[in-house]
Amino acid sequence: MNSLSTSSTVSSSSTSSSSSTSWFSGIVRGRQDSFSSGGGVAADNEGPIKGKNQFRGVLFKYGPKPIQVAFKTGDYKQQVIFIGGLTDGFLATDYLGPLAIALDNEKWSLVQLLMSSSYTGYGTSSLQQDAMEIDQLISYLINKENSEGVVLLGHSTGCQDIVHYMRTNGACSRAVRAAILQAPVSDREYMATLPKTAAKIDLASSMIKEGRGLDLMPKEADPSPPITAYRYNSLCAYMGDDDMFSSDLNDDQLRMRLGHMANTPCQVIFSMDDEYVPVYVDKKALIERLCRAMGDAEKVEIEYGNHSLSNRVHEAVQAIIAFVKREGPKGWDDPWS
């Protein structure tokens, strides 16, 4: 797989351009002078963050598709893999910058990945596709980066990805030492608060029965990014593939969907003012039930926190780091032994 170091790219282009006699060469020479005096290229000890929303690290391909690109801060043998939600890509939440710094202090790397479902691709993808691509990323980290183990950190629908991936027993899933679910909320219950959702579910169900599950929903039925009948049904229908965290699922249904997570140390971070959780849902009762279904997963309630925890960044990073230090890998052991 190809990898691209941001610092080496800058210094390489500066060197090759400095001999030019064009007007551009003066700019390049000026930059080169600042680089040599410590003003440009990131030194090894400068840390993973240059400024707000500016990360230092390595951009690399982990799979054959053009979208299968990941960005890693820090050069360590243990990685936290961030998996975003619907429409997310790089820099999906405000806590990622502070988290990268905190992880770097503990000799951990933060990895952000793009998948087929990233940005507007979620409508034509699936949890199954995401799980396969997560497995490819972990395989890359093991085989190319000598990873000693990973912790999966899911945000929003990324939580469903983690639950599904751990159920599939993917080839590299044993390298997952722990999982963190941040904002595991029900897409179905939120979508039910929007107009015409019931009619769209009926349309999607009809298309699936007709064998057209992979066909796109009509634009007039859903003006959001293109979405297949299958994915709409998965996200919005009762007991669809994505329906894992709904408050109206009984305890047996939750155990059926989440029970296998008891085999992995797991932390659930719930925002108590999550704007995507309907007001009728008892959040405290729901997080208790979710954690119990996962074999008494660690519970973290963040008072007044919104969905992405942009208003509670410090609390988010504190909880994640404490869990990673406690439950993360303690040196290399063969995931397949």
Side-chain angles (χ1 to χ4, degrees):
M1 307 293 178
N2 296 327
S3 64
L4 172 66
S5 168
T6 54
S7 59
S8 63
T9 301
V10 175
S11 60
S12 172
S13 61
S14 303
T15 303
S16 62
S17 302
S18 61
S19 60
S20 171
T21 57
S22 70
W23 62 270
F24 185 65
S25 64
I27 298 176
V28 173
R29 278 196 296 271
R31 286 184 177 176
Q32 194 172 28
D33 292 342
S34 69
F35 292 161
S36 62
S37 62
V41 176
D44 290 342
N45 61 353
E46 285 188 323
I49 302 299
K50 181 179 179 182
K52 184 174 175 59
N53 292 328
Q54 295 181 321
F55 287 60
R56 292 189 179 98
V58 176
L59 186 70
F60 62 93
K61 279 187 63 62
Y62 67 90
K65 296 181 180 179
I67 191 65
Q68 286 184 276
V69 174
F71 186 82
K72 178 170 71 80
T73 59
D75 188 20
Y76 304 112
K77 302 300 183 186
Q78 303 175 135
Q79 301 89 17
V80 170
I81 300 174
F82 176 83
I83 304 167
L86 302 183
T87 75
D88 284 340
F90 289 147
L91 313 185
T93 65
D94 287 351
Y95 63 72
L96 288 178
L99 178 61
I101 295 172
L103 287 171
D104 194 75
N105 290 337
E106 300 297 332
K107 309 303 181 187
W108 281 73
S109 290
L110 174 66
V111 178
Q112 304 174 57
L113 82 159
L114 298 183
M115 303 183 287
S116 297
S117 62
S118 297
Y119 301 119
T120 59
Y122 69 88
T124 53
S125 192
S126 64
L127 295 179
Q128 292 85 349
Q129 181 68 36
D130 287 350
M132 184 175 70
E133 293 178 10
I134 291 168
D135 201 61
Q136 288 176 316
L137 173 62
I138 298 174
S139 175
Y140 176 94
L141 293 173
I142 291 172
N143 293 311
K144 303 294 185 181
E145 304 284 343
N146 297 317
S147 174
E148 295 178 356
V150 303
V151 171
L152 299 181
L153 166 58
H155 163 66
S156 194
T157 310
C159 298
Q160 282 121 264
D161 280 332
I162 292 175
V163 171
H164 183 81
Y165 175 65
M166 297 308 294
R167 184 190 295 121
T168 63
N169 289 317
C172 299
S173 61
R174 290 188 64 182
V176 177
R177 300 301 198 263
I180 302 169
L181 309 184
Q182 187 266 305
V185 302
S186 170
D187 290 293
R188 173 171 67 83
E189 287 187 317
Y190 171 73
M191 292 295 292
T193 66
L194 304 180
K196 301 182 180 178
T197 296
K200 296 175 186 178
I201 294 172
D202 289 341
L203 174 60
S205 298
S206 297
M207 292 174 66
I208 292 169
K209 288 175 183 175
E210 295 168 3
R212 298 191 295 125
L214 297 183
D215 287 1
L216 297 177
M217 297 274 286
K219 188 173 182 180
E220 58 270 21
D222 191 348
S224 63
I227 188 167
T228 64
Y230 162 76
R231 192 68 202 268
Y232 193 90
N233 188 80
S234 177
L235 288 166
C236 301
Y238 177 74
M239 291 294 283
D241 287 347
D242 278 272
D243 191 13
M244 301 179 184
F245 309 120
S246 296
S247 63
D248 60 352
L249 298 180
N250 64 39
D251 289 345
D252 287 339
Q253 289 170 320
L254 287 177
R255 275 194 299 271
M256 181 180 70
R257 302 232 147 181
L258 305 175
H260 62 283
M261 296 301 291
N263 299 320
T264 305
C266 193
Q267 179 188 62
V268 178
I269 302 176
F270 211 90
S271 302
M272 302 312 285
D273 272 359
D274 195 313
E275 62 271 27
Y276 290 103
V277 178
V279 293
Y280 63 80
V281 173
D282 183 336
K283 297 183 183 70
K284 284 187 175 291
L286 176 59
I287 188 174
E288 287 282 354
R289 296 180 64 226
L290 294 178
C291 290
R292 190 164 60 246
M294 289 185 272
D296 294 323
E298 178 180 307
K299 175 184 67 175
V300 178
E301 298 176 358
I302 299 190
E303 293 297 329
Y304 309 111
N306 59 23
H307 185 64
S308 67
L309 292 175
S310 61
N311 65 338
R312 289 294 183 272
V313 167
H314 177 72
E315 290 93 327
V317 173
Q318 233 179 1
I320 293 168
I321 287 294
F323 181 77
V324 167
K325 289 171 66 176
R326 188 170 62 253
E327 300 293 350
K330 309 295 191 295
W332 172 251
D333 62 313
D334 188 345
W336 294 275
S337 62

PDB file of all heavy atoms in Angstrom, residues 19 105 311:
ATOM      1  N   SER A  19      16.096  25.160  -7.341  1.00  0.00           N
ATOM      2  CA  SER A  19      17.046  25.471  -8.392  1.00  0.00           C
ATOM      3  C   SER A  19      16.400  26.190  -9.560  1.00  0.00           C
ATOM      4  O   SER A  19      17.068  26.600 -10.495  1.00  0.00           O
ATOM      5  CB  SER A  19      17.688  24.168  -8.890  1.00  0.00           C
ATOM      6  OG  SER A  19      16.700  23.298  -9.403  1.00  0.00           O
ATOM      7  N   ASN A 105       0.656  11.443  23.935  1.00  0.00           N
ATOM      8  CA  ASN A 105       1.341  11.466  25.235  1.00  0.00           C
ATOM      9  C   ASN A 105       1.443  10.077  25.855  1.00  0.00           C
ATOM     10  O   ASN A 105       2.353   9.806  26.649  1.00  0.00           O
ATOM     11  CB  ASN A 105       0.610  12.406  26.197  1.00  0.00           C
ATOM     12  CG  ASN A 105       0.754  13.858  25.809  1.00  0.00           C
ATOM     13  OD1 ASN A 105       1.698  14.237  25.115  1.00  0.00           O
ATOM     14  ND2 ASN A 105      -0.186  14.689  26.237  1.00  0.00           N
ATOM     15  N   ASN A 311     -19.489  20.371  22.800  1.00  0.00           N
ATOM     16  CA  ASN A 311     -19.571  21.258  23.963  1.00  0.00           C
ATOM     17  C   ASN A 311     -19.009  20.622  25.235  1.00  0.00           C
ATOM     18  O   ASN A 311     -19.072  21.210  26.315  1.00  0.00           O
ATOM     19  CB  ASN A 311     -21.031  21.681  24.201  1.00  0.00           C
ATOM     20  CG  ASN A 311     -21.942  20.520  24.572  1.00  0.00           C
ATOM     21  OD1 ASN A 311     -21.624  19.363  24.278  1.00  0.00           O
ATOM     22  ND2 ASN A 311     -23.072  20.809  25.193  1.00  0.00           N
TER      23      ASN A 311
END
